[in-house]
Amino acid sequence: MKVGFVGLGAMGVPMALNLLKAGHAVRGFDVRAGAADALVAAGGTAATSAADAAKDADLLWLMVVSGEQAESVLFEHGAAAALPKGAIVGLGCTQAPAHAARTAVRLAAMGLCTLDAPVSGGTKGANAAALTIMCSGDEAVMQRARPVLDAMGSRVFDCGRDPGMGSTAKMINQLLCGVHIAAAAEAMHMAE
């Protein structure tokens, strides 16, 4: 697939590199100068803007910090308008479920498909193509995107048809992580 990739940070770069290794054409963008250097060295293409990354893409993956940043990339910086009709937008960021659902509605009105697909596994999982991807959206769209999802993650969970359900699963994951961190800290303090 032709993949536009926005967000080439600590997790984004290895994810984009894994897409290249799987045979996808990747055009990446990040606001930081030099962020696309590793992608270009591996055979990918550096985009000049988020809209440039989206141009002619079958799928645009957003590995940004939040739903607000995703909206900015899509609607303020023109990435959504640059995508061809029927293209898929993968929302890999952590965001409120309602935010993911609102973004999906806006994209659908533009003739675009959405996968609410936050990830878990950190840089270690990103480097090893072993992320957990909690994905919701239209089943046929998910199947079209499956080669991309499988190139980045070893566990892709189908969380249902409604955008926002992937983000709900991620929220539950984060709550459990927080509880485990707090319990581990208490146990280590007691052990000390």
Side-chain angles (χ1 to χ4, degrees), residues 138-185:
D138 182 83
E139 190 171 7
V141 172
M142 201 176 300
Q143 287 309 310
R144 277 176 44 212
R146 195 67 197 222
V148 169
L149 299 171
D150 288 340
M152 298 185 294
S154 60
R155 291 174 304 277
V156 178
F157 290 101
D158 183 339
C159 297
R161 307 288 65 89
D162 297 329
M165 293 308 295
S167 289
T168 299
K170 177 67 186 272
M171 180 175 57
I172 294 165
N173 179 73
Q174 295 304 95
L175 288 169
L176 288 170
C177 286
V179 167
H180 292 149
I181 290 168

Side-chain angles (χ1 to χ4, degrees), residues 67 91-101 115-119 133-136 159 162-174:
L91 300 171
C93 57
T94 299
Q95 61 182 321
H99 203 136
L115 289 179
D116 174 26
V119 303
I133 304 175
M134 295 151 270
C135 194
S136 66
C159 297
D162 297 329
M165 293 308 295
S167 289
T168 299
K170 177 67 186 272
M171 180 175 57
I172 294 165
N173 179 73
Q174 295 304 95

